[in-house]
Amino acid sequence: MESMADTDNETLIARLKGYRTLLDPLRDAPLDQPFVTMWRPDGEPEFETRTFGEFLDQARGFAGFYREEGLEAGEPVVLILPQGVELMAAFVGAMLTGAIPTILAYPNFKIEPTKYRRGIRGVTANIRARLVMVDAGFPEDLIELLRGEENQKIRKVPEGKRSGSDPFPVPASGDVAFLQHSAGTTGLQKGVALSHGVVLNQLWELAVALELTGRDRVVSWLPLYHDMGLIACFVLPMVCHLPVVMQSPTDWVMQPVSFLRLITEYRCTLGWVPNFTFQFLARRVPPEERDKVDLSSLRALVTTSEPIRLRSLEEFRQAFGGRGLAETALQTSYGMAENTFAVTQSRIDRPPVVIWVDRESLQREGRVVLREASDPGAVSFVSCGRPLATARVKIVGEAGEDLGEGRVGEIAVRSRSMYSGYFRRPDLTAKVLSDGWYFTRDSGFLWEGELYAIGRKDDTLIVGGRNLYPQDVEEAAFSHPAVADGRVVAFGLENPELGTQDLIVIAEVRREEDLDRRAELTMEVRQAVMAEIDVAPRVVHLVPPRWIVKSTAGKPARSANREKFLQERPELRR
């Protein structure tokens, strides 16, 4: 078999088009070539590498174990294991039995315990899996929360090498391959069912848009329970026979520069990150550490999963532009689990499109009016790119009418990568799918064929007749040096006396002792928000480190933080 590095884009795409299921590429995998390298900062050795052959042997071992446990084709199996090769092999092993794997977040210090317990209980009860896999270190006090069905088995990964050599099953292209779960507490009830065919279509579309070749190498710190980590950084390299260099999210947060060092050492070309990553790296990696990295191998570091901020991209470029970073390396996308992953992608041969829009027209009328960057009241928007090959995007109003270009509304999507529905939840599916269109509950607009995502429609604040988006408020607040990066939540509380919403801002300080200057910092954060969005918060609530509740995907859990705030400020509850 030819070396992966010899595979050009045309050949890779032709190979993808020839597959009918996700198991097909495993049959012709280059067994002697590296597949996954896992960085373990405290491990011996520091880097654990598996070839495609070794990985497949490990996956077959899991398949044999599942068969011994009586797992049957078409049954779901829940995997709650730490990030790593073992979790990946457990996932593929389930598919080798014809079962339907789903990965849930492993508990760690960043996850709010009460929210995690609610989510775990909800999802295990909803999908009614007879088999739940955990590792030896899984907290015993959480084991009982996993129990749902009367005959449910909770098994710890057995020690030692397992063998399994049964032939691959032959699923149909339309059979469900696996489930993805969205990030919120209520979202965990919604298992996104994805068939082999729709996942392969998504990978083909990504290969075309990103001009993939066998020379590409993926780098990732993203959790495998999130669509960005699972699809882009695991399933895509597995199916396209590309190497992937991986680390756990926790290790990355503790040592941010490690992500850049992996790119440097392994000459990685592709990666996906949420928007906050750019500012986090620019602010947390000191100049002396920057000098040790070389980012010249990067073709595309794609940001998706949250509104894209020009300021974030510019901070990263300023910090690392001198370290070989190409002008076109920072790219953008818009995606969701319900569409497997990506809906749009910016062109990788140029930087993403940036436009400047009149803030007043946008907030009061939902209308796009272009402005120069230097104009007073101009606000920047970074494009998420154009729809992938089979994707269609439209912007709809409250009655479902097509608003066309230049108007803000709800983003609706249809494509050949679309899910078939939420697993065992036809009631929830019916609320968001209509005539093949998925209504995302995201706000955004189209301009000259490019999609611009603003934020969650349900999170939009209406203050004095103006539509405000919490991400704009949050970005203004955490620009203050005393506020922790990405640790701000903004939301509205109804004020019946004024007939509008009051703007509430919760901001975590970097250090506990910063709260000794509470009055001074409160005023400064309020002024920063007013300067950016021209609205004064009713309350700026400063809190100590690790106060804010985030989802398992690292996004602010607005409803949970709102309730937590009202417990501390009950006089504001209405």
Side-chain angles (χ1 to χ4, degrees), residues 283 475-484 510 517 520-521 524-525 528:
R283 297 175 185 183
E475 184 180 17
F478 69 67
S479 65
H480 191 287
V483 175
R510 289 183 183 273
R517 300 188 295 129
E520 176 189 349
L521 292 181
E524 291 175 359
V525 172

Side-chain angles (χ1 to χ4, degrees), residues 70 77 132 146 165 266 275 332 400-401 404 473-474 507 529:
V77 54
V132 178
L146 302 177
S165 58
Y266 283 88
N275 180 83
T332 60
E401 72 279 19
V473 179
E474 292 158 1
V529 172

Side-chain angles (χ1 to χ4, degrees), residues 1 11 176 185 352 358 385-386 418 424 562:
M1 179 174 293
T11 302
V176 176
T185 303
D358 181 71
R386 294 176 178 269
M418 188 66 63
R424 293 176 175 166
R562 181 182 184 275

Side-chain angles (χ1 to χ4, degrees), residues 37 96 261 272 302-303 314 319 325 357-358 384 394 423 476 500 556:
T37 296
L96 291 178
R261 287 177 176 167
W272 283 260
V302 186
T303 181
E314 289 178 337
L325 184 71
V357 172
D358 181 71
C384 298
K394 65 180 179 179
F423 191 69
T500 186

Side-chain angles (χ1 to χ4, degrees), residues 497-534:
E497 296 174 3
L498 297 179
T500 186
Q501 288 184 318
D502 290 328
L503 175 59
I504 311 297
V505 178
I506 305 173
E508 267 189 23
V509 294
R510 289 183 183 273
R511 303 172 306 166
E512 190 99 31
E513 52 266 35
D514 288 331
L515 292 176
D516 296 338
R517 300 188 295 129
R518 184 185 295 272
E520 176 189 349
L521 292 181
T522 297
M523 181 180 67
E524 291 175 359
V525 172
R526 177 177 279 108
Q527 289 174 341
V529 172
M530 289 177 62
E532 186 71 25
I533 66 169
D534 198 27

Side-chain angles (χ1 to χ4, degrees), residues 7 12 43 58 65 148 231 294 303 369 376 398 411 494 521 552:
T7 307
L12 191 151
Q58 195 171 357
F65 173 78
I231 302 300
D294 177 2
T303 181
V369 178
E398 291 298 328
I411 301 170
E494 293 298 327
L521 292 181
T552 53

Side-chain angles (χ1 to χ4, degrees), residues 253-271:
V253 168
M254 299 301 292
Q255 300 183 51
V257 72
S258 60
F259 181 66
L260 305 178
R261 287 177 176 167
L262 293 180
I263 295 172
T264 301
E265 181 165 348
Y266 283 88
R267 310 304 296 151
C268 297
T269 62
L270 295 173

